[in-house]
Amino acid sequence: MTTSGTNDYQLGSWRVRPSLNRLESAGKVVSLEPRAMAALCHLAGKSGATVSKDELLAEVWGGIAVSDNAVSRVIAQLRKALDDDAQAPSYIETIVKKGYRLVTTVEPWVPSATAPSSHDAPKPRGWQPVALFGLGLLGLGLLIALAGFTRLAPPETHGVLRPLTSLSGSEQDPAWSPDGRYLAFAHTPADTHQSRLYLRPRTGEPLTRLTETGLSERAPAWSPDGRRLVFLRGDLSACSILIATLAEPPRFADVRELAPCQHFPYATLRWGADGQIYLSDRETALTPVPSRLWRLDPRDGRRTALTEPPPHGLGDRAPALSPDGRVLAFLRTPYWSESEIRLRDLGSGEERVLARLDHAPRSLSFSRDGRELVYEDNRDGGRVMGLPLDGDGPSLRFSTPTGVGALAAGPGPKELSFVSELSDSNLWATPLAGGEARRVTASSRYDGKAQFAPRDRRLAFASERSGRPALWLQEDGTDRMLAEVPDGSAIHRLRWGPDGRRILISTGSRRLYLYALAGGKLSPVDTGTGGASLGEWAPDGDWVYFSSDRDGDWQIWRTALAGGHAERVTRAGGYGGQADASGTRLFYTKYTSTGLWRMDLATGRESVLLPAFCPCAYDHWLLRPEGIYQLERQALQSRFYRYELVPGEGDRGEQVLLRSLPATSNEFTLSADGSALVFCRLDRAESDLAVYASD
């Protein structure tokens, strides 16, 4: 039998699932690291023929220079996973001085039932594993990669999830017509960056493409009578708001430009029951000013400002209109990871804060009865939260393993449409002096937060390939899992100890853990009460610094690993600190203001080193003796800088561009000798539309 890279197959008593990197047998599930799965699939494709170590190195490691022991370790991992015995093999036999071969039959996997298929897509994704990306304003994190909607997992609460689309690429911005007959949405094919508007009948009949231009169209919104759509058209350099009249059969009868806009594709449109259009947009495209809310007259395009956000942060965004059209809800994000849900009475203009959140959702929607708002929380999978307008706190409405976004009331009274978000992120390496980048991990789920060891090329990284957030180690070209996070929360930062024998783990639950490679023990770090984030070693290895808001605002603290009370270090704000090699100076950002700061730990005196440094880059820089490194993500490419500390010039850094790279995330690490740069890259991003119907 010839196997593919993604098709399931039967190997003895095991079901092999390459797309999920796992084996299943009689209720037992075993996760494999990607290279082990690739080696198994290569052996399976040879129909019992002997495969040499050189062939496995070429096919599985792609020519990366590793020792023969790397192959032996992977074979040992496979035997352990398969419960195989090297002396009396049932699966993998060693052929002395020649290689390895499979000694059991390989058969196609025949599922017990036929999976449902989607009939609304001109290019369906089918059974292939997919990935998708939520277009957060700050790129709020990379989401786990899972299967397509033909395998849509059930929610954790009572209700039914149903796929609406399964196109190749990304579907965004769902909007149901007032009568519930049609779903308008934007679709970006996998092979292009240009999005188009489509209509999907509720009955599931074939899709209708509404637009075909050289620009992208996004954010459709229906008029109250369901006869017109308002939407955005633009690219990174231009943005317009257009209105189109719909004819039967569904198509655009005429399209006219209503007004310019500034922030494509992040501007958002809603059409109110009062006939006015409500818009979230920047005032100008020239500078990254916060967004605000506007009222737009559909007759002449005249717009009037409704809100006055603070001058920092993301501003006012994600507008949602109550079903009766009297209340405008929106998110105000004064800082990069905090938000307020605010309500504005459109008649009186009065505003009030409904809730304050410690994260930044991307969308809001009223329920059909107008009694609650829903928003998403993607910090651990995808959770949709309901917030009653009567003052009660939020509660979980449903959750899925994937990230969610673009929430919109569905056609039924208890239905909610949303975008299901998947992504495939891997680690890549490139010589700092120049040259091609190569992929160093190959997982179908998130790999990131990489950190080189202090004196060699061992690479610690976070991965969710086992199904839960875990600490992994790559050594000599082989990946192995060290430990899963006990509380299941995401890993936010990894740091090697100065001795190269311990790894400090910071999690989304504001806990620190210490992993000792000798003995493989994972233990919590006692940081006192109030939570701890973004742990960092002191150079002596006896203390760790961390960030905490336990006193009401974010400051840098430290604690001794031998025990004792945590000590506050900064007084005027601090976040994401790093100490220099001498241990006499601490460098850090501040949560609520721009700048990269430096403190003399002996005197407590602080000064600003880089005044324009964005607080959102709190964990996207690295302090080394030769300077400060930063990977800055831009629209089409990323740039890697070093700020050289100018001696005798006081608090000043001189910026030097080292490399330009294809668009990446902001995560990176440098090898100990400074020759290799490893960064996290989103290799594939896709999304589908779905609807949740509560009981």
Side-chain angles (χ1 to χ4, degrees), residues 433-452:
E436 295 295 323
R438 62 177 179 84
R439 190 164 64 179
V440 296
T441 63
S443 169
S444 61
R445 299 194 179 189
Y446 169 72
D447 291 340
K449 309 299 182 187
Q451 285 290 303
F452 274 115

Side-chain angles (χ1 to χ4, degrees), residues 161-183:
L161 289 177
R162 185 177 75 253
L164 293 174
T165 64
S166 185
L167 308 184
S168 176
S170 296
E171 294 94 81
Q172 294 283 347
D173 309 333
W176 285 97
S177 60
D179 60 7
R181 292 177 58 201
Y182 293 107
L183 174 68

Side-chain angles (χ1 to χ4, degrees), residues 80-102:
K80 181 178 179 180
L82 293 165
D83 295 327
D84 201 13
D85 184 348
Q87 303 303 315
S90 300
Y91 292 95
I92 302 175
E93 179 183 9
T94 299
I95 309 300
V96 179
K97 295 185 178 181
K98 290 189 176 181
Y100 307 93
R101 73 182 188 99
L102 289 184

Side-chain angles (χ1 to χ4, degrees), residues 116-121 124 150 164-166:
S117 61
S118 173
H119 299 288
D120 62 357
T150 47
L164 293 174
T165 64
S166 185

Side-chain angles (χ1 to χ4, degrees), residues 67-323:
S67 69
D68 289 349
N69 290 335
V71 177
S72 301
R73 281 197 296 269
V74 161
I75 296 299
Q77 291 173 16
L78 288 173
R79 283 176 170 148
K80 181 178 179 180
L82 293 165
D83 295 327
D84 201 13
D85 184 348
Q87 303 303 315
S90 300
Y91 292 95
I92 302 175
E93 179 183 9
T94 299
I95 309 300
V96 179
K97 295 185 178 181
K98 290 189 176 181
Y100 307 93
R101 73 182 188 99
L102 289 184
V103 294
T104 191
T105 57
V106 180
E107 300 290 343
W109 170 259
V110 180
S112 58
T114 302
S117 61
S118 173
H119 299 288
D120 62 357
K123 295 181 180 178
R125 189 176 300 117
W127 279 92
Q128 299 174 353
V130 300
L132 75 107
F133 178 55
L135 293 174
L137 297 182
L138 289 178
L140 298 175
L142 297 168
L143 305 173
I144 60 173
L146 292 169
F149 265 136
T150 47
R151 303 178 189 173
L152 188 66
E156 291 188 7
T157 51
H158 297 292
V160 177
L161 289 177
R162 185 177 75 253
L164 293 174
T165 64
S166 185
L167 308 184
S168 176
S170 296
E171 294 94 81
Q172 294 283 347
D173 309 333
W176 285 97
S177 60
D179 60 7
R181 292 177 58 201
Y182 293 107
L183 174 68
F185 65 94
H187 170 239
T188 306
D191 57 353
T192 180
H193 295 294
Q194 292 182 348
S195 54
R196 304 284 180 263
L197 296 186
Y198 282 80
L199 277 187
R200 178 195 186 274
R202 185 180 182 182
T203 56
E205 297 166 7
L207 298 178
T208 299
R209 186 167 62 190
L210 297 174
T211 59
E212 181 65 46
T213 68
L215 299 173
S216 289
E217 288 88 21
R218 292 289 301 270
W222 293 87
S223 63
D225 60 9
R227 296 178 180 178
R228 291 178 293 172
L229 278 171
V230 62
F231 60 94
L232 304 178
R233 174 175 289 165
D235 56 22
L236 293 175
S237 61
C239 181
S240 299
I241 301 171
L242 296 98
I243 289 182
T245 301
L246 287 165
E248 290 288 349
R251 68 186 189 281
F252 280 169
D254 75 283
V255 180
R256 66 180 176 92
E257 185 172 334
L258 177 63
C261 49
Q262 307 298 329
H263 197 200
F264 188 89
Y266 302 117
T268 307
L269 296 163
R270 298 290 182 265
W271 206 324
D274 58 1
Q276 298 294 294
I277 295 169
Y278 294 88
L279 168 70
S280 169
D281 194 16
R282 289 177 176 172
E283 188 168 5
T284 174
L286 299 178
T287 57
V289 296
S291 293
R292 62 196 303 184
L293 299 187
W294 309 78
R295 179 187 285 119
L296 189 66
D297 192 317
R299 296 169 296 181
D300 56 16
R302 181 172 52 88
R303 69 182 192 174
T304 305
L306 294 179
T307 62
E308 289 287 345
H312 46 74
L314 300 180
D316 297 341
R317 55 195 181 85
L321 287 164
S322 62

Side-chain angles (χ1 to χ4, degrees), residues 488-637:
S489 61
I491 293 176
H492 283 187
R493 178 188 271 190
L494 297 175
R495 289 292 189 264
W496 285 88
D499 58 5
R501 299 175 181 175
R502 297 170 294 172
I503 301 172
L504 183 65
I505 305 170
S506 305
T507 71
S509 60
R510 298 191 182 185
R511 294 185 176 95
L512 303 185
Y513 295 93
L514 197 62
Y515 182 83
L517 274 77
K521 182 180 179 181
L522 183 71
S523 55
V525 177
D526 184 6
T527 60
T529 59
S533 301
L534 304 176
E536 182 70 42
W537 291 90
D540 59 12
D542 296 330
W543 292 73
V544 294
Y545 292 97
F546 61 91
S547 303
S548 178
D549 62 349
R550 62 187 63 185
D551 282 352
D553 57 350
W554 284 97
Q555 305 287 352
I556 306 292
W557 295 67
R558 69 174 186 171
T559 189
L561 292 176
H565 297 292
E567 303 174 359
R568 182 167 162 175
V569 178
T570 59
R571 298 294 169 183
Y575 196 69
Q578 299 181 37
D580 67 0
S582 68
T584 61
R585 296 185 300 178
L586 184 69
F587 295 73
Y588 50 92
T589 60
K590 295 190 177 185
Y591 194 84
T592 60
S593 59
T594 60
L596 184 65
W597 299 74
R598 179 170 61 189
M599 172 182 282
D600 185 307
L601 290 172
T603 65
R605 186 179 69 87
E606 70 170 11
S607 57
V608 62
L609 177 67
L610 302 172
F613 203 82
C614 179
C616 61
Y618 64 93
D619 205 27
H620 305 146
W621 58 281
L622 177 65
L623 179 65
R624 297 282 286 262
E626 64 273 19
I628 295 169
Y629 294 87
Q630 182 190 13
L631 183 60
E632 182 180 85
R633 182 180 59 194
Q634 300 178 353
L636 300 177
Q637 65 176 357

Side-chain angles (χ1 to χ4, degrees), residues 52-64 66-68 70-71:
S52 68
K53 286 187 175 181
D54 288 342
E55 182 177 340
L56 284 172
L57 284 170
E59 294 295 328
V60 177
W61 278 264
I64 297 174
V66 296
S67 69
D68 289 349
V71 177

